[in-house]
Amino acid sequence: MILVLRLVMLLIAATSLLAAVLVTASLFIADRAPQSSQFLAISLVVSAFFAATGALAFGLQRQMARLRDAGARLDGAAAERFAPPFHALARLLLAGGTILAPILLLATYVILARIDQGFAVFG
């Protein structure tokens, strides 16, 4: 289950970082990029949000792997107390990740479609 969780979190991280880059790049590659500093600020804030989401997902998958390894070193009663909350946390993160991943994939598709139309994402 941890392997699937890590893959989902890596997908979220990659998609979020791609969306962040695309939103920022749309200001430069679109034919009709807005000239207003307000649209620039909005684009940078949205890019920062996507980048933070990607960094968070990447960090979560790394820490879950570290927790799994730490739990594997436990023995006896400590391992029995550790396993249920760890697996519950993994299930919750996996459920959240499987909800978030398609949303981010759709958002990235919409960003690409907007750029393909020749417009910046915002503006």
Side-chain angles (χ1 to χ4, degrees):
M1 176 171 50
I2 298 302
L3 178 62
V4 174
L5 172 64
R6 291 189 75 185
L7 290 174
V8 168
M9 289 298 158
L10 286 173
L11 174 66
I12 289 171
T15 306
S16 294
L17 294 176
L18 177 62
V21 169
L22 287 173
V23 167
T24 303
S26 76
L27 293 172
F28 303 107
I29 62 177
D31 294 335
R32 294 179 287 265
Q35 303 301 319
S36 169
S37 62
Q38 181 181 8
F39 290 120
L40 175 66
I42 291 169
S43 295
L44 293 177
V45 167
V46 170
S47 291
F49 174 77
F50 278 127
T53 302
L56 179 65
F58 186 74
L60 278 172
Q61 65 88 22
R62 285 188 46 145
Q63 294 306 316
M64 287 302 290
R66 289 183 64 202
L67 280 173
R68 180 201 57 209
D69 295 342
R73 289 191 297 269
L74 296 175
D75 57 347
E80 290 176 16
R81 286 192 314 269
F82 176 80
F86 174 74
H87 290 297
L89 176 62
R91 283 191 301 272
L92 288 171
L93 287 173
L94 186 57
T98 55
I99 292 169
L100 182 59
I103 294 170
L104 287 171
L105 287 169
L106 179 64
T108 304
Y109 173 76
V110 168
I111 292 167
L112 283 170
R114 180 83 171 153
I115 291 171
D116 188 46
Q117 294 171 348
F119 294 100
V121 175
F122 297 101

